[in-house]
Amino acid sequence: MRTSQMLIPTLREEPGEAETVSHRLLLRAGMIRKVAAGIYTYLPLGLRVIRKVEAIIREEMNRAGAQELLMPIASPAELWRETGRWDFYGKELLRFKDRHERDFCLGPTHEEVITDLIRREVRSYRQLPLNCYQIQTKFRDEIRPRFGLMRGREFIMKDAYSFDRDEAGAQVSYQKMYDAYQRIFTRCGLTFRAVEADTGLIGGTSSHEFMVLAETGEETIVYADEGAYAANVERAEVLPPAETAAESPRPLRKVPTPGVRTVEEVTAFLKIPPQQLVKTLLYQTPKELIAVLVRGDHEVNEIKLKKLLGVVEIELAAPDKVRAATGAPVGFAGPVGLRGIRIVADQSIKALRNVVVGANEADTHYVDADWERDFAVERFADLRNARAGDPSPVGQGQLRVARGIEVGHVFMLGAKYSQSMKATFLDPQGQETLAVMGCYGIGVGRTAASAIEQNHDAKGIIWPAPIAPFHIHLLPLSQSAAVTEATRSLYDTLTQTGIEVLWDDRDERAGVKFNDADLIGAPYQLIVGEKGLAQGLVELKQRKTGEAARLPPNQVLAHVQALLSNRPIS
Ligand code: ATP
Ligand code: MG
């Protein structure tokens, strides 16, 4: 393709709206443009990247035995009412009415629609297992769309759904998808890690997220420095404390702590380590206000808390509720004398003696409080986030922490949807049996964006070759007849063998062309200049390393083919 014939509106200025590298560079390289919050147009260059990612996904899904189909974006409310998700999904589900006043939504995911299809079409165990996938636009009215393609409202997803005769079959289908995902993200040229993920209310261990490792990731993952354990911090289990403090309890005392409320302030004021402070957090659930105790240096894991309480929603209680319940402003809540409120505590509290807690009185704390003597904990449980240095929950090594971007998710659903929607088949004995399901998503745009988060420099994007919009950016440095002729000949030779070349045929200064090429990020730049040609040479430069080889034009093809197939250059 020639630059002059493509819409590639590169920007020299930093776009103000962009918060992350990938968002900024996708805008600057003329690959996307915002239409509304979280809603983008993919321009020709950006779309080429999207299509490359899709092609890799498609090949590997087909290889794994999945079949492609395409479901509609609009789906009728009745299906969502069957599973209860019409109410449960909340505001992320964009709803509308058609001209007959019937309720519809834009599909944020397609379990309902696929399960409806399969329950109608599959009668016998002989038709199973089945795995169907689509690559399609999803809509989720995200509360905070941001970071460009990373968290959009409208975005492209590959979603697959497997249907099996039994649990064992479903495990096989799950493993096939897990393996396919390993191949997909490897082929995309990404550094990633599969981690154990939270399974929500379904339980079990069969849920993995595929995380592209990047400092800018929204997710926190932990992994053991020995062995294979890796998990999303949302899920990572924390072992109970090894031993209880040897101290004997001292008498409870009330001390004035004027104006100090945060962990840092209180521990500095009382000259104690944060492990000696117990934070009391009040959470509002749909049912009640509940007090949660964690050590001063720990963080509450709200997912674990929700599971313990059996609720789907919790939030920190508003300051006025805290005041009403404790009689004190936020920062001074404590378990001693807290009436009418259940108290749950992280298991680490059990090992502590003589702790500092809020006194439910402004500017006051208790010191030397003791859980056995001074307050009533209803349950001790694992309620905190794992952190660096914790022992691995599966026995080997210590945990480390990294940031990741969730690009894919494989999930064992069991009979959740087949049960509510009555998706059954007849087993060999003629018994009606529920299909066992799995679901498997990949964010296509997010995968492309995460490749940029992982591969860029100050000048722009450095695409992994398999998903680059073009393999080669061809840069003639003048408009002279000799240069144009050599360029055209290289272009023809390369494109005839299927190599994708973007030919910058604009009458622009060399500097402008180099800047755009570095910004757009094709893995190789082929530079044709007057001086070089006079010596019979052109320059082939690697975007990533800046390494340049000077070659006679007739050797370029062999060189490029070797580079693109990772072969040594012969
Ligand atoms: P997140 O926790 O990031 O919101 P999710 O758990 O809601 O993700 P899934 O429902 O598992 O995501 O969707 C499958 C995949 O779709 C995700 O792994 C991610 O790559 C992609 N995805 C989800 N939400 C978005 C979004 N708002 N924008 C772009 N991609 C998304
Ligand atoms: Mg989400």
Side-chain angles (χ1 to χ4, degrees), residues 89 92 108-109 140 142 148-158 209-210 218-219 234 406-409 440-447:
Y89 220 102
E92 257 188 45
T109 177
R140 294 182 181 180
E142 297 269 356
L149 300 189
M150 213 55 105
R151 183 170 297 284
R153 293 198 293 164
E154 185 175 309
F155 59 97
I156 301 172
M157 196 203 286
K158 185 285 299 177
E209 287 162 343
F210 286 75
E218 285 187 286
E219 308 285 336
E234 290 178 345
E406 180 203 322
V407 288
H409 194 177
Y440 317 93
I442 294 180
V444 175
R446 193 183 282 184
T447 299

Side-chain angles (χ1 to χ4, degrees), residues 29-278:
M31 299 200 180
I32 60 169
R33 285 294 182 263
K34 179 167 144 183
V35 178
I39 301 180
Y40 290 87
T41 293
Y42 307 98
L43 276 64
L45 273 188
L47 186 61
R48 288 179 73 96
V49 175
I50 296 291
R51 294 286 183 248
K52 294 256 172 112
V53 175
E54 289 176 352
I56 291 172
I57 293 173
R58 201 169 258 126
E59 268 181 44
E60 294 299 339
M61 291 303 290
N62 293 345
R63 190 203 302 274
Q67 313 175 43
E68 186 167 6
L69 46 61
L70 187 58
M71 291 179 265
I73 294 177
S75 63
E78 293 83 78
L79 292 178
W80 293 77
R81 292 202 173 102
E82 281 189 54
T83 61
R85 287 212 288 185
W86 186 256
D87 295 322
F88 187 78
Y89 220 102
K91 289 193 169 172
E92 257 188 45
L93 194 65
L94 188 70
R95 299 150 210 252
F96 61 98
K97 286 185 192 293
D98 71 5
R99 62 166 73 202
H100 308 292
E101 290 293 303
R102 284 186 287 243
D103 287 319
F104 277 81
C105 66
L106 293 184
T109 177
H110 279 73
E111 283 81 6
E112 279 78 359
V113 180
I114 190 84
T115 307
D116 179 51
L117 176 80
I118 299 301
R119 73 177 164 186
R120 290 165 193 273
E121 308 306 330
V122 170
R123 292 264 143 261
S124 156
Y125 71 95
R126 289 192 195 84
Q127 293 164 276
L128 298 178
L130 255 185
N131 184 334
C132 297
Y133 77 97
Q134 63 176 345
I135 298 177
Q136 185 231 28
T137 296
K138 294 282 184 276
F139 199 98
R140 294 182 181 180
D141 205 352
E142 297 269 356
I143 183 166
R144 241 175 277 115
R146 60 201 154 140
F147 310 150
L149 300 189
M150 213 55 105
R151 183 170 297 284
R153 293 198 293 164
E154 185 175 309
F155 59 97
I156 301 172
M157 196 203 286
K158 185 285 299 177
D159 45 327
Y161 306 89
S162 64
F163 294 81
D164 274 272
R165 299 173 189 181
D166 51 30
E167 198 68 44
Q171 280 299 344
V172 173
S173 297
Y174 182 89
Q175 190 62 39
K176 278 190 189 161
M177 286 296 101
Y178 183 98
D179 296 342
Y181 277 35
Q182 295 276 357
R183 287 195 298 272
I184 288 167
F185 296 118
T186 303
R187 281 187 59 189
C188 286
L190 297 167
T191 305
F192 66 95
R193 181 140 199 180
V195 305
E196 288 181 16
D198 178 49
T199 46
L201 299 173
I202 293 176
T205 52
S206 291
S207 172
H208 288 88
E209 287 162 343
F210 286 75
M211 297 284 191
V212 167
L213 303 178
E215 276 309 310
T216 48
E218 285 187 286
E219 308 285 336
T220 305
I221 66 172
V222 296
Y223 60 96
D225 54 8
E226 285 171 55
Y229 181 78
N232 191 315
V233 75
E234 290 178 345
R235 163 172 179 98
E237 219 182 296
V238 178
L239 296 176
E243 58 205 34
T244 304
E247 307 162 37
S248 42
R250 296 187 287 264
L252 182 69
R253 283 184 299 132
K254 214 183 232 188
V255 297
T257 49
V260 296
R261 7 174 133 234
T262 65
V263 171
E264 294 72 36
E265 288 165 356
V266 176
T267 54
F269 184 81
L270 295 173
K271 302 194 175 56
I272 53 160
Q275 305 87 282
Q276 210 56 37
L277 178 76
V278 170

